Amino acid sequence: MSDDPATSGSGLAAERVRRLAQVDALRAGGTEPYPYRFDRTHTVAEVRSAWGEMAAGAETDDEVRVAGRIVLVRDTGKLVFATILDCGAELQLFISKAVVGDEAFAVVKALDRGDWVGVHGTVMTTRAGELSVKVRELTLLAKSIRPLPDKWHGLTDVDTRFRQRYADLVVNADARRAFEVRHAVIASFRATFAARDYVEVETPLLHLEAGGAHARPFETHHNSLDMQLYLRIAIELHLKRLIVGGMDRVFEIGRVFRNEGISTRHNPEFTMMESYEAYADYEDVMVLTEDLVRHAASDALGTTVVEVAGETIDLAEPWPRRSMVELASEGIGETIHPSRSVDELRRIAEAHDVRCESSWGPGRLVEELFEATTEKSLIRPTFVTGHPKETSPLARADRNDPLVTERFELYANGREIANGYSELNDPVEQRRRFEEEQAAKDAGEVERGTIDEDYLRALEYGMPPTGGLGIGVDRLVMLLAGVESIREIILFPTLRPEVW
RNA sequence: GCCCCUCUAGCUCAAUGGUUAGAGCAGCGGGCUUUUAACCCGUUGGUUCAGGGUUCGAAUCCCUGGGGGGGCACCA
């Protein structure tokens, strides 16, 4: 075998050949390298919490059966120390030749970093105080035939980290932590809603009309119906149909898809949380948003204090509410309001190097001026309220200013995190707004909306006053996990196909 | 779509245009019964992303293509 060039080297190919030969040898010797199951009595985390406080050099008679992946081996000859990783927690195995016997010890010596094992033994601490299991019996649970990344440096090549997320998660604790935050945030949302008697629902991802947001959809096709369908760009319109139906507090957490550019803040598929509550308006929804985010922070991080762009921020402190026209006016230095003429606003935009297109009306220009002057500076969580009617076709007009809406967006770290409003429930007014959307779309603004007749029919049955909310879960998780790229908190971000 | 940066062993990284592209880890062989990235001795391993060009000579310079990153544009 040593003459075989494939096994004499130590490149990846040779390494796989060597380990596959080991698999064959184990089977030939009557040991199954991929057994079906293993009985464990404790997770590693449970062992750590139950025995974590023992003094150095302690021996117990407490028997445990634990399992995990070997991520580190220190072989001192007749005594082997191996570190196993079990669901993010590490534990040392203390494997003595005198305890396990010569035959079993030979098996231990043949183990590779990356192999999955289950062991039976007693809990102890070493002289140095390291909590360990003194192994009496060891079972190989799955042979690894591909070497893990560097034990010290881990995996740093971002391409490989995202493509081989499985390897990233094994060797990079930071990567694991970011996803723990993500999943704790989502669990926290569910708990907050459950406590408020909301019902979690599931609505279609395949839409006939891609409505509820301004974005370009992914198109797909149903074969047997021979029908064009779109992947949803928002959840909104279906959830409000449920409000019409009398489900007066609903939420959904799910994927939405937008066929647009990819960046550190954008992935083509991302997770949206939307909720709707009958009898509430946008002020109630802002309160709900604060509660959701604060609970998410304390559930995911154990604190409401986070570092954002170098600033220490306590999310438990009240978040300022500022109107968009006020912020845009401050940013520009004169009064900016959708009541001003298109020509005036366009001149102002041009004077401030803000891009503008001929099709945009005063409302869109106001919003662009706000974004250009103010958006990036909103580091601390801030509710920006009163978006122009023109850019908010599903939001109800402000009770005091008919040109803007009762809408807010939550900004933090210069990014939009959430969006909510007093929902427009007047079917006649909604039809007018849809017609404006359709007209703009027909005039070439591809991301504008269409007339959703079924939604209008639902509104005609009558929708109670309703407050709605959408939270970009990925953006919020980025904020709480303190990462600058959305790819750090999406397990499998969209990438170009790998070349094999 | 545009601009800039980047790609070297399984992993992490070196290498003025100049011998046969090196090192640590991992692997392999040997030693070691309390290690902590264990340690000590020895050792294998390369389509330098791909293709083309310039040159006496290319990992290095140029061109084309590919992957990735960042920015812009797009994107409530």
Side-chain angles (χ1 to χ4, degrees), chain A residues 42 57 105 126 207 232 264 269 340 371 469:
Chain A
H42 297 77
F105 199 68
T126 62
H207 284 191
R232 69 181 179 188
T264 51
E269 51 179 309
R340 297 191 66 174
E371 284 178 11
L469 171 64

Side-chain angles (χ1 to χ4, degrees), chain A residues 300-322:
Chain A
L301 309 174
T303 174
T304 55
V305 178
V306 292
E307 282 287 318
V308 180
E311 269 191 67
T312 303
I313 292 167
D314 187 351
L315 297 170
E317 290 168 4
W319 303 344
R321 300 180 183 188
R322 304 291 307 281

Side-chain angles (χ1 to χ4, degrees), chain A residues 278-339:
Chain A
Y279 318 120
D281 70 6
Y282 79 134
E283 304 242 10
D284 301 308
V285 178
M286 283 190 267
V287 173
L288 170 66
T289 305
E290 287 174 324
D291 283 353
L292 281 164
V293 172
R294 285 170 189 162
H295 281 128
S298 57
D299 289 347
L301 309 174
T303 174
T304 55
V305 178
V306 292
E307 282 287 318
V308 180
E311 269 191 67
T312 303
I313 292 167
D314 187 351
L315 297 170
E317 290 168 4
W319 303 344
R321 300 180 183 188
R322 304 291 307 281
S323 85
M324 181 179 285
V325 294
E326 181 184 308
L327 289 168
S329 302
E330 280 175 21
I332 295 297
E334 63 176 295
T335 303
I336 302 298
H337 191 275
S339 59

Side-chain angles (χ1 to χ4, degrees), chain A residues 282 386 389 395-407:
Chain A
Y282 79 134
K389 207 149 103 175
R396 191 168 183 151
D398 189 289
R399 60 198 85 179
N400 303 311
D401 180 349
L403 292 179
V404 301
T405 56
E406 294 202 353
R407 176 178 173 187

Side-chain angles (χ1 to χ4, degrees), chain A residues 243 248 277-281 396 422-423 425 462-467:
Chain A
I243 297 287
D248 70 357
E277 178 174 336
Y279 318 120
D281 70 6
R396 191 168 183 151
S422 300
E423 302 296 336
N425 62 346
M463 183 169 84
T466 297

Side-chain angles (χ1 to χ4, degrees), chain A residues 212-213 236 258 272-276 282 285-286 289 383-384 387 391-392 394-395 405-411 416-421 423 467-472:
Chain A
E236 179 156 358
R258 296 188 183 176
M272 185 78 94
M273 191 298 298
E274 290 195 30
S275 69
Y276 293 84
Y282 79 134
V285 178
M286 283 190 267
T289 305
F383 288 116
V384 176
H387 297 57
T391 58
S392 312
L394 297 160
T405 56
E406 294 202 353
R407 176 178 173 187
F408 71 86
E409 283 183 317
L410 172 64
Y411 283 88
E416 182 200 338
I417 305 284
N419 177 25
Y421 31 89
E423 302 296 336
L469 171 64
I471 294 183

Side-chain angles (χ1 to χ4, degrees), chain A residues 134-384:
Chain A
K134 182 184 265 185
V135 173
R136 261 214 311 269
E137 207 182 338
L138 178 142
T139 311
L140 179 64
L141 299 180
K143 183 68 196 173
S144 160
I145 61 167
R146 184 180 287 266
L148 286 178
D150 192 277
K151 67 183 179 186
W152 180 244
H153 302 96
L155 195 57
T156 61
D157 182 83
V158 282
D159 183 20
T160 312
R161 284 189 51 226
F162 299 149
R163 286 190 194 283
Q164 300 184 33
R165 184 66 89 180
Y166 30 86
D168 185 38
L169 291 170
V170 174
V171 298
N172 291 333
D174 285 349
R176 293 196 293 268
R177 184 192 160 270
F179 292 106
E180 282 165 15
V181 169
R182 179 186 186 99
H183 299 123
V185 166
I186 291 171
S188 175
F189 278 180
R190 292 201 160 100
T192 300
F193 282 124
R196 291 162 175 259
D197 295 323
Y198 275 69
V199 174
E200 180 168 9
V201 299
E202 294 178 279
T203 63
L205 273 69
L206 296 174
H207 284 191
L208 285 165
E209 309 268 357
H214 285 156
R216 301 173 73 157
F218 284 91
E219 296 170 11
T220 187
H221 181 259
H222 189 280
N223 287 341
S224 60
L225 294 178
D226 189 20
M227 177 173 70
Q228 167 131 40
L229 289 168
Y230 301 93
L231 300 187
R232 69 181 179 188
I233 58 173
I235 314 176
E236 179 156 358
L237 297 176
H238 281 94
L239 294 184
K240 284 191 279 190
R241 285 170 168 93
L242 298 177
I243 297 287
V244 170
M247 298 178 67
D248 70 357
R249 294 177 176 210
V250 293
F251 77 99
E252 178 167 350
I253 297 171
R255 211 65 62 82
V256 299
F257 307 83
R258 296 188 183 176
N259 204 341
E260 284 151 4
I262 296 178
S263 77
T264 51
R265 295 165 297 280
H266 300 84
N267 195 65
E269 51 179 309
F270 60 101
T271 300
M272 185 78 94
M273 191 298 298
E274 290 195 30
S275 69
Y276 293 84
E277 178 174 336
Y279 318 120
D281 70 6
Y282 79 134
E283 304 242 10
D284 301 308
V285 178
M286 283 190 267
V287 173
L288 170 66
T289 305
E290 287 174 324
D291 283 353
L292 281 164
V293 172
R294 285 170 189 162
H295 281 128
S298 57
D299 289 347
L301 309 174
T303 174
T304 55
V305 178
V306 292
E307 282 287 318
V308 180
E311 269 191 67
T312 303
I313 292 167
D314 187 351
L315 297 170
E317 290 168 4
W319 303 344
R321 300 180 183 188
R322 304 291 307 281
S323 85
M324 181 179 285
V325 294
E326 181 184 308
L327 289 168
S329 302
E330 280 175 21
I332 295 297
E334 63 176 295
T335 303
I336 302 298
H337 191 275
S339 59
R340 297 191 66 174
S341 76
V342 184
D343 290 341
E344 281 178 320
L345 289 167
R346 191 170 296 145
R347 266 198 298 280
I348 293 166
E350 279 160 6
H352 288 80
D353 282 328
V354 175
R355 194 179 61 94
C356 53
E357 294 190 8
S358 55
S359 57
W360 293 355
R364 176 72 187 262
L365 288 165
V366 168
E367 187 156 337
E368 293 288 332
L369 286 169
F370 155 73
E371 284 178 11
T373 57
T374 313
E375 179 175 18
K376 285 209 163 43
S377 67
L378 297 175
I379 302 301
R380 309 182 72 85
T382 304
F383 288 116
V384 176

